[in-house]
């Protein structure tokens, strides 16, 4: 495990009794907020994931290196400062450029812009760039986020990843 990673594990498991996998939770380099990451960590742990919380102001290289090292089943990028759209496009390009992370579910959410709700075009640009889901805090709910994360098939991803590594 790289220095500086915060690693949280709870005894919470999925309803089937197995862990859903590992999730990396992070902000982007321009975002110094911490409380959102703590909330996300606790929420995702309740959904059965082991969470690696990279903390605030995470440089792109640190995120990519942490994901390459841990091979997470999910990456959650959070933004509070309103630069999420701008920074997110750069971050997803770096993550998707790594072959081993090409199929890892990556989602972004929070305050993605400084002008309030993101347009359909702005959200579409994030999806086209490689995010699997976008949760703009002005137009989506926590229920939609938990439904999406809860519906990810952990077992199938583990098999795919094993085949790529071998």
């Amino acid at each position: 495990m790289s220095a500086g990673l915060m690693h949280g594990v709870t005894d919470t498991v999925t309803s089937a009794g197995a862990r859903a996998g590992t999730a990396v939770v992070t902000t982007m380099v321009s975002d110094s907020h911490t409380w959102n990451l703590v909330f996300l960590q606790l929420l995702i742990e309740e959904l059965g994931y082991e969470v690696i919380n990279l903390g605030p102001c995470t440089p792109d290289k640190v995120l990519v290196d942490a994901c390459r090292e841990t091979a997470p089943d999910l990456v959650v990028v959070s933004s509070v400062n309103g630069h999420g759209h701008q920074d997110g496009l750069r971050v997803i390009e770096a993550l998707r450029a790594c072959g081993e992370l090409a199929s890892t579910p990556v989602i972004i959410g929070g305050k993605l812009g400084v002008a309030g709700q993101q347009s359909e075009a702005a959200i579409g640009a994030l999806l086209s760039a490689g995010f699997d889901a976008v949760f703009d805090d002005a137009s989506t709910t926590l229920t939609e986020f938990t439904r999406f994360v809860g519906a990810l098939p952990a077992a199938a991803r583990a098999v795919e990843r094993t085949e790529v590594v071998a």
Side-chain angles (χ1 to χ4, degrees):
M1 183 85 30
S2 297
L5 300 183
M6 293 188 287
H7 202 115
V9 179
T10 67
D11 293 330
T12 304
V13 294
T14 64
S15 60
R19 287 216 170 270
T22 301
V24 168
V25 175
T26 187
T27 62
M28 292 165 279
V29 71
S30 69
D31 201 317
S32 63
H33 296 88
T34 311
W35 62 264
N36 56 318
L37 295 177
V38 173
F39 175 82
L40 278 171
Q41 178 176 342
L42 294 172
L43 176 65
I44 295 168
E45 286 174 347
E46 285 183 8
L47 295 172
Y49 284 82
E50 178 179 1
V51 174
I52 299 168
N53 184 339
L54 298 180
C57 299
T58 304
D60 298 358
K61 183 172 180 358
V62 171
L63 171 59
V64 170
D65 289 349
C67 289
R68 293 177 93 174
E69 180 180 337
T70 61
D73 300 286
L74 172 66
V75 178
V76 179
V77 180
S78 176
S79 176
V80 176
N81 68 1
H83 297 231
H85 183 271
Q86 178 182 344
D87 290 347
L89 291 172
R90 186 191 65 250
V91 166
I92 195 64
E93 182 179 354
L95 288 170
R96 294 303 187 213
C98 300
E100 65 267 42
L101 302 173
S103 64
T104 302
V106 181
I107 59 181
I108 188 169
K111 189 174 179 183
L112 301 175
V114 294
Q117 184 174 346
Q118 294 291 288
S119 68
E120 287 185 31
I123 291 172
L126 290 166
L127 293 169
S128 294
F131 283 102
D132 295 282
V134 178
F135 298 93
D136 179 26
D137 73 345
S139 61
T140 56
T141 66
L142 188 58
T143 301
E144 292 170 293
F145 174 82
T146 57
R147 236 183 244 144
F148 180 86
V149 173
L152 292 172
R157 288 190 315 275
V159 170
E160 290 172 10
R161 181 163 296 107
T162 300
E163 291 172 355
V164 169
V165 171

